[in-house]
Amino acid sequence: MGLRYAGARVISAASTWGLKHLFHRPAANFPGKVALYVDPQVIGDARGKLERGSVVVVGTNGKTTVTNLLADVLECAGMSVVCNRTGANLDSGIATSLLHAGHADWGVFESDELWLAKVLPQLQADYVVLLNLFRDQLDRCGEIDRIQDSIVGALASSPKSVLVYNADDPLCAYIAEQAAQAVGREHTPSIAFGVSASMGLAQNTVTDATMCQRCSTMFTYDFRQYGQLGEYICPSCGFSRPALEFAAENVELASDHVAFEVVRPSENNAGISLSAPFNGAYMVYNLLAVAVGAELLGCSGKAIQQAIDAFNPQNGRLETFDIAGRTVLLNLAKNPTGFNQNLKIVAQDDQPKVVAFFINDKEADGRDVSWLWDIDFEELADSGRMQVFAGGIRGKDMQVRLKYADIHADVVESAEDLLARMQKLPTSHNAYVIANYTSLPLVKAALEAAAADTSTAESAVELAASASDPSAAAGTVEPAAGGVEEPTDNPVVIAHLFPDLLNLYGDGGNVRVLEQRLRWRGIPVEVVRVQHGDTIDLAQVDLVMMGGSPDREQRLASADVVAMRDDLKDYVENDGPLLAICGSYQMLGHEWLLDGQTVEGLGLIDMTTRRPGTSADRLTNNIALSSPLAAHPVVGYENHAGRTYLGEGVEPFGQVTSSVGCGNNEQTHADGVRYKNLIGTYLHGPLLAKNPEIADHLLTEALKRHTRRSGIKHEPLAPLDDAAELSANAAMAAKLGA
Ligand code: GLN
């Protein structure tokens, strides 16, 4: 044993003792952190404790569940396991679990995607299980390619590790291909798993990558499960879902269980039948990953089912509480894909219910909550009566998002506040609580305390008994506030250009905001979504919105946009209102630069976008501007690698007033551009949600154009109650010191 390792062990043991006995705190990270300080190779030095080897689980969603269940299966099969069960998934968490453990058969660890590059070179795991990659915390990760590159680099540092990956996710399949190339092999040391047939799920609006990363062409799908998962093929280069070595077949999705068979299509064996008392298609993928991992480590189907039967998640993942006779389901959701799957679980319950969302924006959550606008809350609005609450540091943002889905939510101060309000509602109403990363522990603690407290049970029973009309407290799904919509031949037309490519950070929410603000005023409106490859006659359009996008999608979309150059120029010169965010904004200029390559722009505005560094050199911040178009501060979120320089005399959209944030570039502290009725800006957020003045400015111009086009006269826009929007705006402006 090396001296450093010996020192690391002593110091971690001392700090564990101190944390437990003196500070009464869990010791999931700190002992490993100090140990790594003393011995940076401590994971490598300690891995000898693992007699048979180790498995690392990575992926955006499902890591903790898969890791814990896989460890359970191994234990059911009679093996001893070291595992970072609480989800402490940085190198310090993994080091801590290893240092705390004695000798064991296997190590099963979950790792943060970006930290795999630190963990794997030392651990040299036998298997890396890659579950999925969805957009998550892009303020920390930049664009998704960066996570992929980092995972490929990690695999290259551990060439014996076999990659066990979800082949239904093209982002994972591309990693498998890249990892093989990185170690100079024709065949990846990899094993593909997936779901063989469509699960028949309703599709959500925003998905991550549906583009081939080999050749930047849009995939065609035989079927899509959710997000980008499914059976895809690139019509150009043929990149497609690899043959499945393990497949889930005959999937059954019910409100109280999932069931399927795990088969090896290349073999003729019967396969294993599994069923689990959980709801949600994503559990099929989680359980499949567990089953594949367990089979590879030599466990029987019996051990897998046994572990599933005994699985009692106590970490806020699908955890159930009985609070005063009411069933409360708590689940974590931290990105749009996970959230959409959660909402499907809630929507399956068509009885009156309570739904609460807790959203924080701490470091570990990501400082930006634009992603709330990439979630289809609209689906929930159709799922019957419910009482909805919004909490957490960004509870107000949540409230605004729900408002535009026609769902009224009351803001709650805390989970205790939620519980107090819930007590007044009949206990027959199930409650669904969805919390993101750092808001989850506090909510969970409050629910646990309430579940343990029998006095609330008695008072709630009394209250429920005296509640005369169960529907009186519920039913707060709001109908459209505006007048009755008459079918008309002549609605105001909003064109959303290329939402399948240009759709970062909830930018599509801008269209939702515009549409609702017309609807609430009783003005007929039609939204036309122009997909990649389609065209539209802009002479029939009153407002154009284009969003931002990752580099690859932006590059492909720019060809569509440049093909419309003459029409767009006509539209803008004839006072057509246009909103272009970030990636689309960059395209308005003469040219933009991407990894040393110059890409032609629309040339509508005298401006150029350059990229001084790589995609990792980003300007990422919540940001506030003062703009002549708004009396309030304009708040939003920027995340871009390009820097934009305006020509002489070109007016910016606004001037940066927050202490952080850059806008166009580091030198001018101006953001965006204003020209006629065109607004270009780096602000996501989405921009219009918390800046209703800008929304109404664009709508006023859209109505004028509509009048010119159709002859229909419009009154000036009637004021709306913007209290929720302005309150969320004020909270962010105050936070930014603007
Ligand atoms: N890909 C572009 C950049 O990084 C635009 C990003 C965006 O739209 N957020 O500069």
Side-chain angles (χ1 to χ4, degrees):
M1 184 196 308
L3 212 57
R4 276 175 173 267
Y5 180 45
R9 286 182 57 173
V10 170
I11 195 155
S12 91
S15 60
T16 303
W17 188 91
L19 279 170
K20 284 195 173 151
H21 294 96
L22 302 178
F23 297 103
H24 306 290
R25 300 271 308 275
N29 270 307
F30 187 71
K33 206 168 177 166
V34 290
L36 277 159
Y37 188 70
V38 177
D39 175 10
Q41 298 301 315
V42 73
I43 294 176
D45 289 339
R47 79 163 198 259
K49 289 180 175 182
L50 308 170
E51 313 272 349
R52 298 171 74 167
S54 60
V55 182
V56 186
V57 179
V58 283
T60 313
N61 289 346
K63 285 188 285 285
T64 307
T65 300
V66 170
T67 305
N68 278 289
L69 247 175
L70 183 56
D72 289 352
V73 178
L74 289 168
E75 283 175 355
C76 282
M79 291 180 248
S80 53
V81 185
V82 181
C83 180
N84 53 346
R85 283 187 177 270
T86 58
N89 64 18
L90 307 185
D91 57 350
S92 51
I94 293 170
T96 304
S97 334
L98 268 169
L99 287 163
H100 282 170
H103 281 252
D105 291 313
W106 287 101
V108 181
F109 305 106
E110 72 164 269
S111 167
D112 175 87
E113 290 68 78
L114 285 177
W115 286 75
L116 187 69
K118 292 201 185 246
V119 171
L120 200 56
Q122 293 197 50
L123 196 61
Q124 299 286 312
D126 298 76
Y127 295 100
V128 172
V129 180
L130 176 57
L131 302 174
N132 47 56
L133 284 181
F134 300 116
R135 283 182 192 164
D136 189 11
Q137 291 187 35
L138 287 183
D139 55 341
R140 182 169 73 98
C141 305
E143 297 191 350
I144 221 147
D145 305 45
R146 187 168 155 234
I147 306 175
Q148 291 178 290
D149 290 348
S150 171
I151 295 176
V152 169
L155 289 165
S157 74
S158 178
K160 288 212 187 85
S161 302
V162 176
L163 177 67
V164 181
Y165 69 99
N166 182 353
D168 290 2
D169 183 346
L171 298 173
C172 295
Y174 192 61
I175 288 179
E177 182 174 288
Q178 294 292 297
Q181 283 170 15
V183 291
R185 263 190 296 242
E186 211 175 293
H187 299 290
T188 327
S190 65
I191 292 171
F193 66 85
V195 178
S196 56
S198 168
M199 293 192 272
L201 304 167
Q203 296 298 299
N204 289 104
T205 336
V206 178
T207 55
D208 292 8
T210 50
M211 256 180 98
C212 173
Q213 293 187 298
R214 229 200 240 161
C215 74
S216 295
T217 306
M218 295 293 269
F219 284 129
T220 51
Y221 275 85
D222 272 358
F223 59 82
R224 273 250 295 261
Q225 312 287 20
Y226 58 85
Q228 73 276 14
L229 310 188
E231 177 150 21
Y232 48 88
I233 180 160
C234 171
S236 170
C237 74
F239 181 78
S240 60
R241 178 170 81 157
L244 302 179
E245 206 155 315
F246 288 88
E249 287 188 354
N250 302 322
V251 176
E252 193 185 315
L253 294 175
S255 61
D256 60 350
H257 73 276
V258 296
F260 58 95
E261 280 159 47
V262 185
V263 297
R264 299 187 83 152
S266 61
E267 292 175 12
N268 275 336
N269 312 354
I272 320 170
S273 296
L274 295 176
S275 81
F278 300 115
N279 188 332
Y282 66 93
M283 276 311 276
V284 174
Y285 279 105
N286 286 347
L287 295 171
L288 176 62
V290 171
V292 174
E295 266 213 63
L296 293 171
L297 302 189
C299 302
S300 64
K302 198 166 147 237
I304 302 172
Q305 186 61 58
Q306 208 181 332
I308 293 172
D309 291 343
F311 191 57
N312 177 16
Q314 290 180 337
N315 49 17
R317 276 78 167 170
L318 287 175
E319 189 173 352
T320 328
F321 300 85
D322 177 348
I323 297 179
R326 179 196 316 280
T327 304
V328 181
L329 182 72
L330 171 66
N331 207 3
L332 169 82
K334 52 194 176 66
N335 47 47
T337 305
F339 232 108
N340 279 329
Q341 298 309 308
N342 266 288
L343 293 185
K344 290 193 198 308
I345 296 176
V346 180
Q348 268 179 0
D349 181 348
D350 55 8
Q351 295 303 305
K353 55 194 169 268
V354 181
V355 188
F357 303 102
F358 284 85
I359 303 296
N360 275 0
D361 65 351
K362 293 190 179 171
E363 190 76 39
D365 304 300
R367 297 285 184 194
D368 161 57
V369 296
S370 308
W371 56 275
L372 294 177
W373 290 82
D374 287 332
I375 302 164
D376 287 330
F377 288 102
E378 283 72 14
E379 276 184 15
L380 201 59
D382 301 330
S383 79
R385 291 203 312 266
M386 60 190 142
Q387 182 85 20
V388 186
F389 300 98
I393 300 170
R394 293 294 202 102
K396 287 181 174 170
D397 287 70
M398 188 70 221
Q399 184 189 37
V400 174
R401 171 64 191 100
L402 291 166
K403 175 177 174 179
Y404 282 89
D406 287 325
I407 298 171
H408 171 78
D410 288 325
V411 172
V412 287
E413 294 303 317
S414 61
E416 285 74 13
D417 185 13
L418 168 71
L419 285 162
R421 293 180 194 224
M422 230 157 62
Q423 258 193 11
K424 302 193 180 94
L425 302 170
T427 50
S428 57
H429 295 189
N430 289 337
Y432 298 87
V433 183
I434 300 178
N436 75 336
Y437 205 66
T438 68
S439 58
L440 187 91
L442 282 177
V443 174
K444 177 170 142 62
L447 296 182
E448 268 163 1
D453 179 0
T454 44
S455 62
T456 46
E458 281 147 26
S459 57
V461 170
E462 280 161 27
L463 253 164
S466 64
S468 51
D469 176 8
S471 65
T476 58
V477 172
E478 270 191 353
V484 187
E485 257 171 61
E486 298 291 338
T488 172
D489 292 338
N490 247 319
V492 173
V493 176
I494 302 175
H496 187 179
L497 293 193
F498 313 116
D500 46 349
L501 291 172
L502 306 172
N503 66 7
L504 264 185
Y505 309 107
D507 287 338
N510 288 314
V511 174
R512 182 75 191 160
V513 171
L514 292 164
E515 182 188 1
Q516 287 289 59
R517 294 181 75 82
L518 286 178
R519 222 169 243 157
W520 290 341
R521 288 159 164 139
I523 301 170
V525 50
E526 184 190 340
V527 172
V528 185
R529 294 197 167 77
V530 186
Q531 308 288 346
H532 167 62
D534 290 351
T535 51
I536 185 165
D537 177 7
L538 290 180
Q540 307 304 321
V541 169
D542 304 300
L543 210 166
V544 175
M545 182 352 251
M546 303 156 74
S549 88
D551 293 345
R552 184 177 287 107
E553 285 86 346
Q554 183 181 355
R555 182 81 183 80
L556 183 61
S558 79
D560 288 301
V561 173
V562 168
M564 293 175 70
R565 183 195 335 244
D566 293 345
D567 287 356
L568 277 167
K569 196 170 169 55
D570 252 29
Y571 174 85
V572 170
E573 293 301 336
N574 287 308
D575 300 321
L578 182 148
L579 174 64
I581 312 282
C582 201
S584 300
Y585 160 53
Q586 295 173 348
M587 292 183 211
L588 300 176
H590 301 299
E591 61 189 28
W592 48 285
L593 284 185
L594 176 77
D595 297 334
Q597 196 193 2
T598 307
V599 188
E600 184 191 4
L602 284 165
L604 294 183
I605 306 288
D606 178 18
M607 64 181 225
T608 320
T609 297
R610 309 201 179 285
R611 180 169 294 203
T614 65
S615 163
D617 299 308
R618 310 184 75 78
L619 299 174
T620 306
N621 262 307
N622 286 301
I623 176 172
L625 315 174
S626 70
S627 168
L629 299 181
H632 293 86
V634 177
V635 297
Y637 167 74
E638 63 171 333
N639 185 354
H640 51 108
R643 272 63 164 180
T644 299
Y645 300 90
L646 304 182
E648 230 8 77
V650 178
E651 296 277 353
F653 170 49
Q655 212 53 44
V656 180
T657 51
S658 43
S659 52
V660 291
C662 273
N664 285 344
N665 55 62
E666 287 91 334
Q667 291 80 41
T668 57
H669 281 271
D671 174 73
V673 70
R674 258 180 317 122
Y675 172 71
K676 292 193 167 231
N677 293 322
L678 170 158
I679 298 174
T681 175
Y682 272 113
L683 269 56
H684 303 275
L687 173 76
L688 303 181
K690 284 187 289 185
N691 304 296
E693 292 163 287
I694 307 291
D696 284 354
H697 166 81
L698 289 165
L699 288 175
T700 301
E701 295 306 326
L703 292 188
K704 286 188 201 157
R705 183 171 164 94
H706 186 245
T707 301
R708 288 198 294 278
R709 195 166 73 72
S710 66
I712 296 173
K713 296 246 180 325
H714 292 282
E715 298 293 317
L717 282 180
L720 292 174
D721 175 2
D722 286 331
E725 291 85 337
L726 293 177
S727 167
N729 174 303
M732 182 43 81
K735 199 165 178 166
L736 292 171

